[in-house]
Amino acid sequence: MIRTHGIGGPEDLPIPADLAILGGAAALAVSFLVLLMAWRRPRYADPRPETPTRDHSRTTALPLVAAAVGVPAPVLLGRLVDSRAFAVFLRGAGLAFFAYVAWAAVTGPDLSMNPTFGVVFVLLWVGIVPASLIFGPFYRAINPARSIYLLIAALGGAQRSQMPPNGQRDRQHRRSTDETPGRECAGGAVGALPAWVGYWPAALALLCFVWFELVYPEANYLAPVRLWFAVYFVLVVMGGVLLGPRWIARADPFEVYSTAVSRLSIWGRRQDGALVLLSPLRNLATLPGEPGLVAVLSVLLGSTAFDSFRGWNVWVRYSQSTEANMLVVNTAVLVGMCAVVALLFVAATTSTGLEGGIRRSLLPGTFAHSMVPIIVGYVTAHYLTLLVESGQLTLVQLSDPLGNGADLLGTATWQVNYWLSDHPTFLATSKVVAIVAGHVLGVIAAHDRALAVLPRRYHLVGQLPLLLVMIAYTFGGLYLLFGG
């Protein structure tokens, strides 16, 4: 069995765990003081540039930045990314891999050796973070649910083209089937997704997935996994057909997760469509604070905290000894942790003083982007060993999807490298660094946004509540990892 938890614990730190926890929180406070003295004007103030003069973001949905921002990417790379052939290749590869895993899920053995579990809970759920950091919003380009929707939309367009023309309606249909981000406001068969809905569908879907993964006691059986993803595909694809492609961009939990994390990548586009390399913090500032975004990020952070908490020895002993319904108890704790994360963030961002026409209710969304590096840091700290070691095992299992001794991909004889587990001091130190670094980046992003949107006299006192909450996140994250 892969050793993924309990490695790199408090006893493996080069310093006592309590000093590491307090030191991490102190590092955040010191970083804020340095920012106050050295960072006195906003550098990434405009999260939404003007409409681009050309549209080159057909499949990548890269963030748009001002014309003078970023370093141009190599011309050949830009042409490759913008080519329809590359887009078709990515969609084909995503569908092929989906079909391969579905084959294993339907006909393979209902045992832990089935690669379906590793693909879903390791490669997809955890691997989506480093992949999005490296490649940008890659999941949008390979998303099988979006690809199926596009096929349905294309078939519908072909059928309409054979019917007598109906000018305006036909043009509206062609717009609604285009997956370009700038045109995702187009509707589907029954209309367009209202703007006030925002990311709330994705927040609910993410909560359902983490509940299924972390709470549901039979998530290690194939039948529930197949059922969950069957419902997921029906809701996402049919929602796209009825409400247009914007539904997929706001309701697909994995696409929304990937897109949010990708704002810490180096990839973006200028208004003229040129592919550019950006500072991750400048890229992060382009994440628009739509309704439901705070809920999405709170579920991601709260669920990871719950996963750490449920591994505490005290909680394990309680779970094994109590007569209470642990399904109900764990559900309540999971939802409670997500709610606490959200409530603390909302309270901190809305407690500042305001002047002029700034709406207090919009402040949580305005500062929501600062939560992304915190999530990335905590996910890295909590799941690094799982991704590296269980990820290797999944690659081995993928070569034998039916468990009959086959070696379809040539990886069946690969051996799992346990280097991380065999170096617990390095692993424990990496956890601390990941969490502290994520929170420091979060403080920088929030500080820059505060300088841009808060009145000058509230530049200091207006940031203090959010700083305290981020220190609490840091302390809580490190304590959950090392205190149990």
Side-chain angles (χ1 to χ4, degrees):
M1 176 176 290
I2 288 291
R3 299 166 287 175
T4 57
H5 295 280
I7 305 297
E11 69 281 356
D12 300 312
L13 287 168
I15 60 176
D18 54 349
L19 291 181
I21 295 171
L22 293 175
L28 212 61
V30 172
S31 300
F32 177 71
L33 293 176
V34 172
L35 286 173
L36 287 178
M37 295 183 290
W39 196 307
R40 299 190 177 186
R41 60 179 181 84
R43 303 182 184 183
Y44 317 124
D46 186 9
R48 298 299 295 270
E50 297 177 359
T51 303
T53 56
R54 291 187 296 156
D55 193 346
H56 290 265
S57 49
R58 184 184 307 279
T59 57
T60 55
L62 293 171
L64 299 170
V65 295
V69 172
V71 178
V75 175
L76 292 179
L77 178 61
R79 291 177 179 174
L80 173 65
V81 172
D82 291 335
S83 67
R84 183 169 292 275
F86 186 63
V88 171
F89 169 77
L90 291 178
R91 296 231 167 267
L95 285 173
F97 186 71
F98 164 70
Y100 187 85
V101 177
W103 175 46
V106 173
T107 63
D110 196 357
L111 301 171
S112 60
M113 64 184 292
N114 192 302
T116 303
F117 301 107
V119 169
V120 171
F121 299 122
V122 180
L123 298 186
L124 174 60
W125 183 240
V126 183
I128 204 170
V129 173
S132 299
L133 290 174
I134 296 171
F135 301 110
F138 86 102
Y139 189 78
R140 176 190 172 95
I142 66 171
N143 185 355
R146 181 179 283 272
S147 299
I148 294 171
Y149 157 76
L150 291 172
L151 289 174
I152 295 174
L155 291 175
Q159 292 176 356
R160 285 170 181 260
S161 66
Q162 299 174 4
M163 298 173 61
N166 186 11
Q168 181 65 29
R169 182 178 178 182
D170 187 58
R171 287 193 297 271
Q172 175 64 28
H173 173 75
R174 287 198 298 270
R175 287 196 297 268
S176 69
T177 59
D178 196 319
E179 60 173 322
T180 305
R183 299 179 183 175
E184 282 199 336
C185 59
V190 301
L193 183 71
W196 60 265
V197 174
Y199 289 104
W200 284 107
L204 179 60
L206 284 167
L207 183 60
C208 290
F209 180 80
V210 296
W211 176 87
F212 176 75
E213 179 196 15
L214 303 176
V215 175
Y216 186 62
E218 297 186 5
N220 56 341
Y221 292 96
L222 283 177
V225 174
R226 291 193 297 258
L227 177 60
W228 196 96
F229 276 90
V231 173
Y232 154 75
F233 272 101
V234 169
L235 292 178
V236 172
V237 175
M238 291 308 299
V241 172
L242 296 176
L243 298 172
R246 183 179 176 85
W247 166 263
I248 301 177
R250 299 299 182 272
D252 188 309
F254 309 111
E255 183 169 313
V256 170
Y257 190 8
S258 172
T259 301
V261 173
S262 73
R263 297 305 172 104
L264 270 177
S265 73
I266 62 172
W267 304 105
R269 289 189 184 276
R270 291 178 179 169
Q271 296 176 35
D272 61 358
L275 183 68
V276 294
L277 281 66
L278 301 172
S279 159
L281 284 174
R282 183 177 293 279
N283 202 346
L284 181 63
T286 64
L287 182 63
E290 296 186 23
L293 179 61
V294 173
V296 165
L297 301 177
S298 297
V299 169
L300 293 172
L301 185 57
S303 62
T304 309
F306 172 76
D307 198 12
S308 293
F309 173 74
R310 71 185 186 126
W312 276 21
N313 293 330
V314 173
W315 187 251
V316 171
R317 288 195 296 268
Y318 170 77
S319 302
Q320 295 172 345
S321 61
T322 185
E323 296 182 358
N325 187 329
M326 288 307 299
L327 180 63
V328 175
V329 173
N330 280 321
T331 300
V333 174
L334 171 63
V335 175
M337 284 190 166
C338 297
V340 167
V341 170
L343 291 174
L344 286 175
F345 188 83
V346 170
T349 52
T350 57
S351 61
T352 181
L354 292 176
E355 293 178 353
I358 302 176
R359 293 173 55 186
R360 192 177 299 275
S361 61
L362 298 180
L363 287 178
T366 302
F367 286 90
H369 69 297
S370 64
M371 296 180 68
V372 174
I374 297 174
I375 293 168
V376 171
Y378 199 10
V379 167
T380 301
H382 185 69
Y383 294 117
L384 178 60
T385 317
L386 177 69
L387 176 62
V388 173
E389 297 182 356
S390 290
Q392 294 177 70
L393 179 61
T394 302
L395 294 178
V396 172
Q397 295 170 339
L398 277 169
S399 203
D400 185 16
L402 304 185
N404 56 8
D407 189 8
L408 302 181
L409 305 180
T411 62
T413 58
W414 288 8
Q415 299 296 316
V416 177
N417 188 324
Y418 292 101
W419 189 91
L420 279 178
S421 291
D422 292 335
H423 294 79
T425 299
F426 171 83
L427 183 58
T429 305
S430 299
K431 292 179 179 181
V432 175
V433 171
I435 289 181
V436 174
H439 283 79
V440 169
L441 290 177
V443 168
I444 295 174
H447 175 71
D448 185 81
R449 184 59 54 86
L451 295 179
V453 302
L454 296 184
R456 186 174 183 84
R457 62 175 177 153
Y458 294 118
H459 281 178
L460 172 59
V461 296
Q463 296 185 65
L464 292 180
L466 185 55
L467 173 65
L468 294 176
V469 167
M470 288 190 174
I471 290 176
Y473 287 168
T474 304
F475 182 89
L478 291 172
Y479 189 76
L480 286 171
L481 282 175
F482 300 115

